[in-house]
Amino acid sequence: MSSVLVLGGAGYIGSHTVYELIDAGEKVVIVDNLSTGFWEAVHPGAVFYEGDIRDRELLDLVFDKEDIDGVIHFAASSQVGESMKDPLKYYSNNLCGTEVLLESMVAHGIDKIVFSSTAATYGEPESIPILESDRTLPTNCYGETKLSMEKMFHWTSVAHNLRYVSLRYFNACGARPDGKIGEAHDPETHLIPLILQVPNNQRDYISIFGNDYETKDGTCIRDYIHVNDLAQAHILALNYLRDGGESNIFNLGNGVGFSVKEVVETARKVTGHPIPAKEEARRAGDPSTLIASSEKAKEVLGWNPEFADLDTIIQTAWNWHQSHPHGYQNK
Ligand code: UFG
């Protein structure tokens, strides 16, 4: 039986996808340089190579040695703020890394890849909900490199025997319900883990960035999607390519928007903690509203998100953060 190669399988979304793949009976090989991923997040049933996807020799070795049927690619830098301070890091990790990967895949005749893209490819949306055919005009370097990755896959697929699925995630959140793995970033910048630091006695209050947006309560609206639902979409996308599906792009979100204040309120309900909040200035570069239309993923891939309810999503995150208040122990 051949294996699925998961690049970045020790990271947040990558590790959850590996667990779901193994639950589905797949064999998995992981390559991760552990720069932002964690050894503890690596599924014990996967074959693990520590290394960087810009290392052509390593990729050639993996493709020569392992029987790889398709690739799922999460190995990229993904912080918007950092991408504005250090754009060349993003060009190197995200674009040079993908270039080396594609060269090695083409050389080894590997013809299927599913990869992480983002709502940040759209920039300020033209209309809500956002469709895959809408304008893509990124407002930060992270989104720009992800859009360029999509184009790199497109032109490579035209020239070579290769098909791809690009999955544009909205706001990934939550944790595996059995509590084995969850979200851990250093530094943490995402709303839900930061909110949960308050009831975990690691933060006195949550800052609300901006209260004067043109939304129902003045705070930003986002489409929060559970990490296991994202993981399931990768498996469906891989099977779609295995069944001969053409290269394609899909949004992944719940199609429902929650304001920052609503997320804080839900976290209060789930944790039973008052979670004080302070309204502060806007954070630079935040669009006011991002909500996906995921109808295409539902129709074409048969995707059906299981965690549509924000209370349940936050409950899974809370279980993880309570049992791992400092995230993973070891790098
Ligand atoms: N926010 C706060 N307080 C905080 C942290 C965040 O009010 O302490 C707000 C933000 O301003 C934003 C919302 O909560 O309005 C969500 O912020 P996150 O940082 O959790 O997520 P983003 O929407 O900024 O970013 C997500 C992904 C990115 C992706 C982007 C697409 O994390 O990888 O969506 O626009 F690029």
Side-chain angles (χ1 to χ4, degrees), residues 118 120 142 171 189-191 194 207 209 220 222 283 286 290:
T118 168
Y142 164 65
N171 286 61
T189 60
H190 295 95
L191 179 63
L194 287 174
S207 301
F209 297 146
C220 286
R222 293 288 180 273
R283 189 172 71 177
D286 276 340
L290 293 175

Side-chain angles (χ1 to χ4, degrees), residues 10 34 36-42 184 324 326-331:
L34 299 181
T36 54
F38 297 89
W39 167 244
E40 277 175 83
V42 173
H324 299 77
H326 303 289
Y328 296 104
Q329 295 305 309
N330 300 307
K331 264 301 219 180

